[in-house]
Amino acid sequence: MHVPLSMSDLGSLLTQHTDAAWSAASEREVWVPAWRRRVVARMSHCGDPHGGFVWLRCTPCGVDRVVAVSCKASAVCPRCGGRRMASLAAHLVERVLPRVRLRQWVLTLPQPLPRLLAWRPELLARVLAALSRTLQSDLQLRSGAADGQSGLVAFVQTFTSDLRLFVHVHALVPDGVFVATANGTQFVSAPPPTQVSLQATADALAGSVQRVCQRWRRGLDPEAAPVDAAQLNRLAQQVEPAVPRASPRSGRARRRWVARCAGLELHAGVSVAADDDRGRERLVRYVARAAVSLQRLSLEADGTVRVQLKGASRSGRTHVRLRPEVFVLRLASLLLPPGVNRVRYFGVFAPAAPLRRHVVPPLPPAPVSRPGGRWIRWQVLLRHVFGVDPRRCPQCGAPLRTVATLQGRGRAFVVLRWLGWTARGPPRPRWVAGW
């Protein structure tokens, strides 16, 4: 028997088992940096109004509503990751990606490169730059425009469906190149890649990545910081039961649109038409998703966490069961170091690219969706994604006014008690045996 996890249940689980996870790490002499501990601690209180909230009130009928503050851990938090995913998708579709055919390129690298990229941001940046150069050369060759320029938006994902550390790249690339002309910029479309051209691109990219790694290794500092991400992932494998590893890919063999070279794998089988706005936004949401989804998490009767896999593995497994401390360690291992961006822009999409202002969609004269900037207001985002207006009273439909914004447990505790809300944090599940 397993019961789906809610956000409050997830917060309770993290609160109760983080100390055991850090103790297990220290017993095995694995260093867990303080910033990883802080992110997990913030995530355990995400959505809890006792840590801070916005107080809304309907003047005609007197209904009160509170909106809890978020933890900003968008990489692993389901609540904050969902908000970032929807906001980033709307931003890219409206203001960055041109209305041309887009293709998704997925790059996976052989071990130990995926774990190495998790804690070496300078090497990650070089690998992404090599991917951008290789794909631009391929598009110039297929489109027949040698002087054309391409661009890509790269999304760095650090997880597999069973929440293991595995850094790979999803890139959204226009199926063609942009050529500067006397009258502006012209887009020259390219035919879909054939298996021969895809294999040639994979071969060139494998050689480029190998040269990048060799140059990086020659300049490696022997007194660098310890490999905390790899150690954390290795610890999670040691403390969990010995079971066959679940493959992140489905058991169905994928031959078309896939090329492999020296352990490197390049996939280019997903594309979206120029006039398919819903498909483009759905694709961006997929590549920008967070590592954890509440729809795939549930609690077993013995207290273990059940993680539903994206698809059946080669051995036929559809889920994995993790002890709570292993689950916490896996979440901590999926975090990139502070300051490392998970979304990168290359080519014509780069901030200082000369052709960027000619390529990105023009801004509407009077934006009705949002006033400006990258992040969309939460009420506008909810209306865009779910079709509901949280700033309207659910009873009479009148607009809600903001009474106060409270931060800190002291003030939030007093106001919640005055409103008649419970003065406790997320409830602890009582049906789980042993808790």
Side-chain angles (χ1 to χ4, degrees):
M1 175 183 178
H2 59 93
V3 177
L5 272 177
S6 64
M7 195 64 200
S8 60
D9 295 336
L10 180 61
S12 299
L13 186 144
L14 294 178
T15 301
Q16 297 174 28
H17 295 281
T18 48
D19 292 339
W22 309 148
S23 299
S26 61
E27 289 176 0
R28 291 164 176 79
E29 298 182 354
V30 176
W31 175 59
V32 182
W35 62 269
R36 291 185 186 271
R37 303 190 183 207
R38 287 195 298 267
V39 171
V40 176
R42 292 202 313 267
M43 181 179 169
S44 63
H45 299 290
C46 185
D48 181 11
H50 295 83
F53 61 89
V54 177
W55 180 9
L56 304 175
R57 169 172 290 182
C58 177
T59 303
C61 59
V63 173
D64 292 309
R65 170 178 287 186
V66 297
V67 180
V69 297
S70 59
C71 65
K72 305 298 188 297
S74 57
V76 293
C77 177
R79 185 172 182 260
C80 301
R83 189 222 187 279
R84 173 184 176 273
M85 173 191 67
S87 178
L88 184 60
H91 169 73
L92 291 179
V93 171
E94 292 180 6
R95 302 191 176 184
V96 176
L97 298 176
R99 294 182 63 86
V100 298
R101 174 173 286 274
L102 292 176
R103 186 170 297 275
Q104 178 192 203
W105 295 75
V106 183
L107 170 64
T108 58
L109 299 168
Q111 294 290 357
L113 272 181
R115 296 182 182 179
L116 192 62
L117 297 179
W119 58 280
R120 287 296 186 182
E122 69 278 6
L123 181 59
L124 175 62
R126 297 182 186 182
V127 170
L128 293 177
L131 174 64
S132 176
R133 293 191 301 266
T134 305
L135 292 184
Q136 176 167 293
S137 300
D138 172 67
L139 288 170
Q140 290 174 344
L141 183 62
R142 287 193 283 121
S143 62
D147 57 343
Q149 299 183 35
S150 178
L152 65 86
V153 182
F155 299 82
V156 180
Q157 291 189 359
T158 60
F159 54 90
T160 60
S161 60
D162 56 349
L163 303 182
R164 290 180 183 270
L165 176 63
F166 187 81
V167 177
H168 57 288
V169 181
H170 292 250
L172 298 182
V173 186
D175 244 0
V177 294
F178 297 90
V179 180
T181 61
N183 299 326
T185 304
Q186 179 184 3
F187 179 73
V188 181
S189 61
T194 62
Q195 192 64 33
V196 175
S197 65
L198 186 59
Q199 186 62 50
T201 304
D203 296 343
L205 183 58
S208 180
V209 170
Q210 183 178 9
R211 291 189 295 271
V212 163
C213 293
Q214 290 175 353
R215 289 194 295 267
W216 172 81
R217 187 176 181 180
R218 286 196 294 266
L220 186 62
D221 184 8
E223 299 180 357
V227 191
D228 61 284
Q231 288 178 344
L232 213 58
N233 184 68
R234 186 168 58 250
L235 170 66
Q237 296 178 9
Q238 292 175 356
V239 299
E240 67 181 348
V243 294
R245 186 187 186 281
S247 173
R249 296 188 295 270
S250 173
R252 182 184 61 207
R254 298 186 302 179
R255 300 181 181 274
R256 183 172 171 82
W257 306 106
V258 177
R260 300 177 179 87
C261 179
L264 180 145
E265 182 175 301
L266 198 61
H267 184 270
V270 178
S271 63
V272 182
D275 56 349
D276 188 3
D277 289 339
R278 294 189 63 182
R280 290 148 64 89
E281 188 166 356
R282 186 165 56 248
L283 179 60
V284 177
R285 289 180 185 178
Y286 170 75
V287 298
R289 69 192 188 277
V292 180
S293 172
L294 290 178
Q295 298 178 354
R296 295 174 46 220
L297 296 180
S298 57
L299 281 177
E300 298 280 357
D302 57 355
T304 58
V305 182
R306 176 190 174 107
V307 181
Q308 189 74 23
L309 301 180
K310 180 182 175 181
S313 64
R314 294 191 180 110
S315 60
R317 301 176 63 198
T318 59
H319 65 277
V320 294
R321 298 175 60 186
L322 306 175
R323 294 205 303 270
E325 60 271 17
V326 178
F327 177 73
V328 174
L329 289 174
R330 288 199 179 185
L331 287 184
S333 68
L334 300 180
L335 299 170
L336 289 178
V340 179
N341 296 324
R342 292 177 176 266
V343 183
R344 314 284 182 94
Y345 301 87
F346 293 89
V348 296
F349 298 138
L355 294 182
R356 178 184 171 89
R357 61 189 181 94
H358 302 289
V359 170
V360 299
L363 292 178
V368 296
S369 62
R370 50 197 170 110
R374 172 179 174 181
W375 298 108
I376 307 176
R377 294 177 180 176
W378 65 272
Q379 63 268 25
V380 178
L381 191 62
L382 287 175
R383 185 167 60 247
H384 174 75
V385 176
F386 300 106
V388 297
D389 191 355
R391 295 303 298 262
R392 293 277 178 181
C393 177
Q395 296 185 5
C396 64
L400 300 175
R401 65 180 181 91
T402 302
V403 178
T405 301
L406 303 173
Q407 295 184 353
R409 290 190 169 269
R411 296 180 178 180
F413 179 88
V414 173
V415 175
L416 287 176
R417 186 173 57 181
W418 181 81
L419 290 174
W421 287 49
T422 175
R424 296 179 299 175
R428 187 172 69 178
R430 301 193 178 188
W431 59 269
V432 179
W435 280 25

